[in-house]
Amino acid sequence: MLLFFTSLMMACGWGFMLMGGQTMILELELMSVSSTNFSIMLIVDKINLSFSMVVTLIAGSVFTFAHKYMEEDHNSDRFLWILMAFVISMNLLTFSGSIFFLLLGWDGLGITSFALIIYYQSFESLSAGFQTLMVNRLGDALISCVYSSSFVLVGQFSFISLSDNFISVGLVLMLSVAALTKSAQYPFSSWLPAAMAAPTPVSALVHSSTLVTAGIYLIIRLSYNVPLSEEVKSMLLFTGAITCLLGGWAATYENDIKKIIALSTLSQLGVMVFSLGLGFPGLALFHLYTHALFKALLFLAAGNMLMATYGSQDIRLMGGIGMAMPFTIIMFNVSSLCLVGAPFLSAFYSKHVILGKMVMSSLNLSSMVIMFVATMMTAKYVSRSLKAISWNKPTSSIMAVSSNFYTSFPVTILGIGGIVSGKFLSMIDLGNLELAYIPSLWGNIINIITLGGITLGLIRGAQVLSNHYLSSMFFLPPSLVSSKASAFSSKEMSSLDYGWLEPSFSAKNYHSKFGSVLSDIGVWPQKQSFFMAGLILAFTLVFVTSSYF
Amino acid sequence: MATLRKAVLFTARHSKLCNFASSKNLSTTAVVSYWNKDWKPGPIPNTPEERAAAAKKYGLRPEDYDLLTEGELGDYPNLPLVAKSWKNPWEDYDIPGDKRNFGEPIHPDNDIIGQDLWDPNADGRFTYWQSLFRALMIGGGFLTAYLLLRPYPFFLPEMPKQYPFNDLYLERGGDPEKEPSIKHYTFTPKC
């Protein structure tokens, strides 16, 4: 309740700041050494007020949901307090105006996210938490480097002091790399799918909308003070495109619903970083908001389903779950369509525009081709999981779960956010409204690529294909997280497990083979799918013609 | 007739459910399926006759039958805790995926010794150096493509925006004496 109230307050503050176009800077000096001030510095402007509004709104919904989801847990109070500490440190990070103060929120995020990942105490969650902690440590070390070098070279810590000189460019480059570790971009992306060992409310709040976007928020915050140099931009363009591709591609081989959503988050973070690399920080921020809303919705809907299946996360066993929980499945569909960038849902105003802007700008050809393939992959895994979950025949006897206030209210709130936030946010703040002037041919190419991905997902569907290169995110986790890689540090580490890679690494993969037989039960199209086919056809028409609006 | 139809429908549904439930036993994923009260372990056997009966019930020889020390599971036998990966893979099992024969009692800690768990001592499909090499190859390949294509960026050819009144020459503070005459073609059909 408090969080919802805070969110409302932030919304009012945001409106106020928008009308006045102001920025407030509060500085509280702690001590000074020679001429260097160690101070707590807060920046309050429209960016962090709106970001904090979205964060607290999602946090309020997730707390409401966690009340039901964690009710049988013995330590649910402790869980809620850690989650609260996370929200507080997120807000500290949001409002921080200097590197000195940023470090507080940044480390707070690292510690609380580790505590949340290892909440279910098992070997798997410990290794996932450890992996997360280690990757985030890299970013922390870089921020500490920036901290000390800005003390030595610049003499103060505020973002405002960063200007367009040589030192600042180096500092911004280091901060950007630190941000990439937090946002799980290409060389550092193996921790995000592993972090799904955390409880679902944590995944909804931490690993979809807040923690992983903290890095992107930091780059956006920097880019409003210092124009990003060409080197930083091309680095972001490169890593963003590859992250988008590998997240999407690995998701097409995944059967665990939470991991699919985690990999899709990875892919969307890639889109945001790509848009930063193109030079549209406003658009990246806008996509961050819409994505946070619909991804939290997707996670909460998945959490509702997990309550019905008693923790079975395999999408091949979730067919026909919509019979037991129609409202949840509607919301699941809505947020999945947001993910594709379906017309007039929230991501249409952000993701689709980013693709349009990509065609409009002058950029590296390889990044553009990668982004097109990644868009297709996004559509493919979305339609694949939708086919397996909501358009399939019932595959197991699922108990109906009585939906109550605590499960349906947050889903409703986020569902409204997921549907209208695109239009709404671009109406309130015209800074979010970007237009891409591209020939209709290119608009159609974007749409056809998306539709091609959807069709591919429907054709190949839930069959299990095993391709080790693609399903392991181009061999990233086995190279980074392996007994060999960490053998020098300690002997215990040699039993680190492969987490979500386990089935691929077992000698004989009977499990997947059996699963493919099971998934053939509900091969699409079925006899009763005429209505569904008509619906898809209508949707296709809307999609194709949307480029003329 | 209605009764017959109902009975046929029930049988169809029931048989499908049974098929599904029996196939579910193959899967190691936790699923919701029905549980039969006859599968519940019986009371702890005390006499040799009861022990022999219990051993027969679980398909064991009386000599092999050993009771679990905890006693929480009634007459359930104490089976050797041997990981599935140690069992012969070439034997003709009824359920090859689980390396288990039909009716063979499973260990209470079956989920720990199952073969779908990754054995930390086993070799993966690829050695560490192979996978590291491939990861670097793929990352380096993308980087090479990016760097090679850097001089040839993608762009849409476009012209500067056209404005009326000689591209707003006067409005932009141009010298009225030297105003050029610029003609933009609009491609509007003449009526």
Side-chain angles (χ1 to χ4, degrees), chain B residues 166 169-170 173-182:
Chain B
N166 301 323
Y169 182 78
L170 292 177
D175 188 2
E177 300 286 319
K178 299 173 185 168
E179 184 174 356
S181 162
I182 299 169

Short mmCIF file of all heavy atoms in Angstrom, two decimals, chain B residues 166 169-170 173-182:
data_model
loop_
_atom_site.label_atom_id
_atom_site.label_comp_id
_atom_site.label_asym_id
_atom_site.label_seq_id
_atom_site.Cartn_x
_atom_site.Cartn_y
_atom_site.Cartn_z
N ASN B 166 11.40 29.57 -51.98
CA ASN B 166 12.84 29.42 -52.25
C ASN B 166 13.59 28.91 -51.01
O ASN B 166 14.59 29.49 -50.59
CB ASN B 166 13.43 30.72 -52.74
CG ASN B 166 12.76 31.18 -54.01
OD1 ASN B 166 12.40 30.36 -54.85
ND2 ASN B 166 12.54 32.48 -54.13
N TYR B 169 14.21 31.38 -48.05
CA TYR B 169 15.44 32.17 -48.14
C TYR B 169 15.34 33.46 -47.34
O TYR B 169 16.21 33.78 -46.52
CB TYR B 169 15.72 32.47 -49.61
CG TYR B 169 16.99 33.25 -49.83
CD1 TYR B 169 18.23 32.61 -49.79
CD2 TYR B 169 16.97 34.62 -50.07
CE1 TYR B 169 19.40 33.31 -49.98
CE2 TYR B 169 18.14 35.34 -50.26
CZ TYR B 169 19.35 34.67 -50.22
OH TYR B 169 20.51 35.38 -50.39
N LEU B 170 14.20 34.19 -47.53
CA LEU B 170 14.04 35.47 -46.81
C LEU B 170 13.83 35.23 -45.33
O LEU B 170 14.33 35.96 -44.48
CB LEU B 170 12.85 36.24 -47.39
CG LEU B 170 13.07 36.75 -48.82
CD1 LEU B 170 11.83 37.44 -49.32
CD2 LEU B 170 14.26 37.71 -48.85
N GLY B 173 16.74 34.96 -43.19
CA GLY B 173 17.59 36.13 -43.09
C GLY B 173 18.51 36.31 -44.27
O GLY B 173 19.59 36.89 -44.14
N GLY B 174 18.09 35.82 -45.47
CA GLY B 174 18.93 35.99 -46.64
C GLY B 174 18.81 37.41 -47.22
O GLY B 174 17.89 38.18 -46.87
N ASP B 175 19.73 37.74 -48.03
CA ASP B 175 19.73 39.06 -48.64
C ASP B 175 18.66 39.12 -49.73
O ASP B 175 18.68 38.30 -50.66
CB ASP B 175 21.12 39.29 -49.24
CG ASP B 175 21.27 40.72 -49.73
OD1 ASP B 175 20.31 41.50 -49.54
OD2 ASP B 175 22.35 41.04 -50.28
N PRO B 176 17.68 40.05 -49.64
CA PRO B 176 16.59 40.09 -50.63
C PRO B 176 17.11 40.40 -52.04
O PRO B 176 16.48 40.04 -53.04
CB PRO B 176 15.67 41.20 -50.13
CG PRO B 176 16.07 41.46 -48.73
CD PRO B 176 17.49 41.07 -48.59
N GLU B 177 18.23 41.05 -52.09
CA GLU B 177 18.77 41.41 -53.41
C GLU B 177 19.20 40.16 -54.18
O GLU B 177 19.06 40.09 -55.39
CB GLU B 177 20.01 42.30 -53.21
CG GLU B 177 19.75 43.60 -52.47
CD GLU B 177 19.01 44.61 -53.32
OE1 GLU B 177 19.35 44.70 -54.50
OE2 GLU B 177 18.07 45.26 -52.79
N LYS B 178 19.75 39.21 -53.46
CA LYS B 178 20.34 38.04 -54.13
C LYS B 178 19.45 36.80 -54.00
O LYS B 178 19.94 35.68 -53.97
CB LYS B 178 21.70 37.72 -53.50
CG LYS B 178 22.71 38.82 -53.63
CD LYS B 178 23.95 38.47 -52.83
CE LYS B 178 24.92 39.64 -52.85
NZ LYS B 178 26.00 39.48 -51.88
N GLU B 179 18.13 37.01 -53.92
CA GLU B 179 17.27 35.84 -53.68
C GLU B 179 17.25 34.92 -54.90
O GLU B 179 16.92 35.36 -56.00
CB GLU B 179 15.84 36.31 -53.38
CG GLU B 179 14.96 35.13 -53.04
CD GLU B 179 13.57 35.58 -52.59
OE1 GLU B 179 13.35 36.79 -52.50
OE2 GLU B 179 12.75 34.69 -52.36
N PRO B 180 17.65 33.66 -54.72
CA PRO B 180 17.63 32.74 -55.87
C PRO B 180 16.22 32.22 -56.12
O PRO B 180 15.35 32.34 -55.25
CB PRO B 180 18.55 31.60 -55.39
CG PRO B 180 18.38 31.59 -53.93
CD PRO B 180 18.07 32.99 -53.50
N SER B 181 16.02 31.67 -57.27
CA SER B 181 14.71 31.08 -57.56
C SER B 181 14.87 29.56 -57.62
O SER B 181 15.54 29.02 -58.49
CB SER B 181 14.23 31.62 -58.91
OG SER B 181 13.21 30.79 -59.40
N ILE B 182 14.32 28.90 -56.60
CA ILE B 182 14.46 27.43 -56.51
C ILE B 182 13.13 26.79 -56.83
O ILE B 182 12.09 27.20 -56.29
CB ILE B 182 14.92 27.03 -55.08
CG1 ILE B 182 16.28 27.65 -54.80
CG2 ILE B 182 15.01 25.51 -54.94
CD1 ILE B 182 16.71 27.54 -53.36
#
